[in-house]
């Protein structure tokens, strides 16, 4: 099966050009996709192109249907690989669903790729492996705003761990170096900055180009669990075993009366 080349700023891009491609995985949804664009500008400048893999999982104010959107919730998506579709500015969510991604695609100079969780962590792993094979990215970053990706799951203030847990579990299965970055620890109010602090450590990944601009990234480090995403540690349990993945398709959603976001519950 043949697939079209990805696009940046609405123009076809030669995958064999001299420009390096950066793959950034937005761990938690649309807000993380915006942060991914900021991260790319801070770390890599304008010389490289980015593919941002992100959920379409918005607050009820934007999307009245709880839960994440899959490929069948849009028109106008474009194929990147067998399992991954890009979201161009011309794409539209199918009513009554809503999504911020087409608008972001129109405003950001990057390719937005839809992260579809409807086949669980295994499906996301497959999407990541296909992108790594297709793009041969110069770097892969997993980005979370707030730091709830570091949570153990029993924190009383934690409201929406599922999206982050799925992306983290999938990234730990990919046979490629992936750096976990946290921007604005505690910013989304789900875990406190003091919870993030013990996890803070200098990144073992070599510094990217233009390191003088790196200070714009708030924080980077390695979470204490699941164990480091490294194929050199096969004796450690896989991340997917520590973060229980619910059965898919998703169970019935219920709305959390304390939040503007939906809550997925298993029955």
């Amino acid at each position: 099966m043949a697939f079209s080349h990805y696009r940046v700023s609405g123009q076809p891009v030669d995958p064999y050009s001299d420009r390096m491609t950066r793959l950034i995985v937005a761990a938690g949804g649309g807000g993380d996709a915006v942060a991914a664009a900021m991260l790319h500008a801070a770390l890599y400048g304008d010389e490289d192109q980015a593919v941002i893999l992100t959920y379409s999982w918005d607050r009820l104010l934007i999307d009245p249907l709880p839960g994440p959107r899959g490929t069948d919730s849009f028109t106008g998506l474009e194929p990147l690989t067998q399992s991954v579709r890009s979201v161009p500015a011309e794409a539209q969510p199918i009513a009554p669903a809503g999504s911020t991604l087409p608008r972001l695609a129109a405003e950001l100079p990057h390719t937005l790729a839809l992260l579809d969780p409807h086949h669980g962590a295994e499906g996301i792993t497959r999407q990541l492996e296909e992108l790594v094979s297709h793009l041969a990215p110069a770097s892969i970053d997993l980005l979370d705003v707030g730091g709830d990706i570091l949570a153990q799951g029993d924190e009383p203030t934690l409201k929406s761990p599922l999206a982050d847990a799925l992306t983290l579990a999938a990234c730990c299965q990919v046979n490629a170096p992936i750096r976990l970055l946290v921007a604005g620890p505690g910013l989304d109010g789900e875990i406190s900055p003091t919870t993030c602090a013990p996890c803070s450590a200098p990144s073992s990944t070599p510094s990217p180009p233009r390191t003088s601009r790196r200070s714009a990234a708030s924080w980077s480090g390695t979470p204490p669990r699941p164990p480091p995403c490294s194929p050199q540690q096969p004796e450690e349990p896989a991340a997917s075993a520590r973060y229980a993945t619910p059965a898919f398709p998703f169970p019935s959603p219920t709305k959390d009366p304390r939040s503007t976001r939906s809550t997925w519950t298993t029955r």
Side-chain angles (χ1 to χ4, degrees), residues 123-225:
I124 296 176
T125 301
R126 182 167 55 251
Q127 294 173 60
L128 285 167
E129 289 175 339
E130 290 180 4
L131 283 175
V132 171
S133 176
H134 178 64
L135 301 174
S139 63
I140 309 173
D141 296 314
L142 172 61
L143 175 66
D144 175 50
V145 174
D148 43 319
I149 198 170
L150 303 173
Q152 299 183 26
D154 57 356
E155 290 83 356
T157 55
L158 192 63
K159 302 298 181 186
S160 56
L162 178 57
D164 305 293
L166 282 173
T167 50
L168 180 60
C171 284
C172 285
Q173 306 305 312
V174 176
N175 187 24
I178 300 178
R179 180 174 55 173
L180 172 61
L181 302 175
V182 170
L187 188 63
D188 56 5
E190 296 207 27
I191 63 173
S192 67
T194 55
T195 302
C196 298
C199 307
S200 178
S203 175
S204 60
T205 306
S207 298
R210 292 172 289 279
T211 53
S212 61
R213 306 181 65 177
R214 188 176 178 182
S215 59
S218 300
W219 179 87
S220 67
T222 302
R225 66 169 123 192

Side-chain angles (χ1 to χ4, degrees), residues 24-40 51-56 58 100-101 104-105 108 110-113 143-145:
I24 305 176
V25 183
D32 288 357
V34 175
M38 298 169 64
L39 172 82
H40 182 273
V51 174
I52 300 173
L53 182 64
T54 178
Y55 293 106
S56 177
D58 292 292
T100 57
L101 293 188
L104 288 178
L108 298 177
H110 303 298
T111 296
L112 297 184
L143 175 66
D144 175 50
V145 174

